[in-house]
Amino acid sequence: YLWFHNYNIYLIKMTIEDNLYKKSIKILTDLIAFKTISGQDNNELIDYCEKILNDLEIDTFKVFDENKTRVNLFGTLKAKKTNGKKPIILSGHTDVVPVSKGWSSDPFTATIKDNKLFGRGSCDMKGFIACTLAYAKIFKETNLDRDIHFCYTFDEETACIGAPLLIKELKKRNIKNGICIIGEPTNMKIIDGHKGMNEYTIHFGGLAGHSSKPDKGVNAIEYASRYVNKLLEIRKELIKRAPKDCIFDPPHSTLSIGGISGGIAHNVIADKCKVEWETRPVNKSDADFVTNEIDKFVNEELLPNMKKIFPDSYIKKEIIGEVIGFEKLDESEACEFVTSITGDNSREVVSFGTEAGLFQEIGISTVVCGPGSIEQAHKIDEFIELNEIKKCLKFLDGVKEKSSLN
């Protein structure tokens, strides 16, 4: 009888797990179909996520950008009794990077082949969001002793534009304590540190004229080129400034030119140009060094020379985003929580950026851990291995076990 009873329990458990897995795949398929490229409207996807949560009577609120075309979503499943345990925040970004040519299938139609699910955002990072939404019903049916939060942001891929607006609202609502798990693709390994990420677009305005008399105009492209050369000099200095025993690869702050554009014809002095660049500092002092050096060059050399010829010349800095790094700590409640579920004590750092530092900054213990491999992110034929979905669901089962009344 005992064997028969245990076997029935096993069958029930396997059925629940199978249904949960199928539900995750269905939700992920739906999420991929929303073309939430960074900078574009993500309201339909957020409405989809909110309906799943609201149907379970999970309270939600939204935080919009100024045009109400992009939106963050935050949901809270209140515990029946907290027992003093810190709430869990399950966080992911809803935006994806643009699609390049060369995909083997429609990037916004989920395709399963060879135990992989292909589609833009499948790995980075709609797979994690799908798992949390599928598991929400299980959390709802659990006798929780801590709150569970669901956090979905916009425009992480463009210097984390959305999350700061949400975090500002969290501070207003006094939600400044907890354990945040950001489900970026890490193969369910713990990431507890990364560099900062600052992105800028610099706009140059000069004076147009005939190319036969270059001294009569102010060539915005030429001044932009000098600006870029200065950035490259600063980049060399950043390598020399690498901290001793730096934990990152490469072990120094980086600087990269992303784009330069301007001019209208071969024989016209360009009066407009823009330069796009970014830096990923290992610490705040490097970020300050870059800013001080390039601003000094602009204010003391470039701009005065431009204005000598044309007083209305300008160089304007547009800050796309300045995201603080994710500081590696000797003791991390979030890392210890994940380790207690996975049994994996290893911790790694990465050079790519996430929203982790933003949550850490307001006192929320944070860890980056999610399904899929970063090696597949941002690539043609992006995919997530189906086994990673199962691993994530098993992890969420561990979160449930550590968040329920005995």
Side-chain angles (χ1 to χ4, degrees), residues 60-126:
T60 58
F61 67 83
K62 295 177 178 178
V63 179
F64 291 87
D65 72 339
E66 59 182 11
N67 298 318
K68 294 191 178 299
T69 57
R70 295 166 296 171
V71 55
N72 301 299
L73 178 68
F74 196 85
T76 299
L77 177 55
K78 298 291 292 184
K80 295 179 175 64
K81 186 178 180 182
T82 61
N83 281 350
K85 289 185 178 180
K86 289 186 176 181
I88 301 295
I89 303 172
L90 302 172
S91 183
H93 64 81
T94 63
D95 62 313
V96 299
V97 295
V99 175
S100 303
K101 293 181 179 179
W103 278 69
S104 302
S105 58
D106 182 350
F108 296 106
T109 300
T111 304
I112 295 177
K113 182 181 179 182
D114 298 329
N115 292 314
K116 301 171 183 175
L117 190 149
F118 294 83
R120 177 55 90 213
S122 57
C123 171
D124 186 14
M125 58 177 297
K126 292 180 177 180

Side-chain angles (χ1 to χ4, degrees), residues 315-326:
I315 300 176
K316 297 179 180 178
K317 176 189 285 188
E318 178 187 359
I319 300 174
I320 305 303
E322 293 179 324
V323 182
I324 63 170
F326 180 27

Side-chain angles (χ1 to χ4, degrees), residues 23 52 69 101 161 171-172 184 253 291 296 340 343 347 367 389 404:
K23 186 176 181 180
I52 291 176
T69 57
K101 293 181 179 179
I161 293 174
K171 291 169 70 175
K172 286 182 181 178
E184 293 278 2
S253 299
T291 298
K296 180 180 178 181
S340 71
R347 300 185 187 184
V367 62
I389 297 294
S404 59

Side-chain angles (χ1 to χ4, degrees), residues 191-251:
I191 300 297
D192 67 343
H194 64 65
K195 298 179 180 180
M197 179 178 59
N198 301 337
E199 294 185 358
Y200 307 98
T201 298
I202 313 302
H203 301 272
F204 296 80
L207 178 64
H210 198 285
S211 61
S212 64
K213 296 184 177 181
D215 58 317
K216 300 299 182 180
V218 176
N219 194 316
I221 291 178
E222 292 181 5
Y223 281 94
S225 297
R226 292 173 62 184
Y227 182 94
V228 169
N229 285 335
K230 183 63 177 180
L231 287 176
L232 297 181
E233 291 177 12
I234 294 172
R235 183 166 71 182
K236 291 180 181 179
E237 292 300 315
L238 289 175
I239 296 174
K240 297 177 184 178
R241 291 170 59 94
K244 185 179 180 181
D245 300 323
C246 184
I247 59 178
F248 295 108
D249 180 22

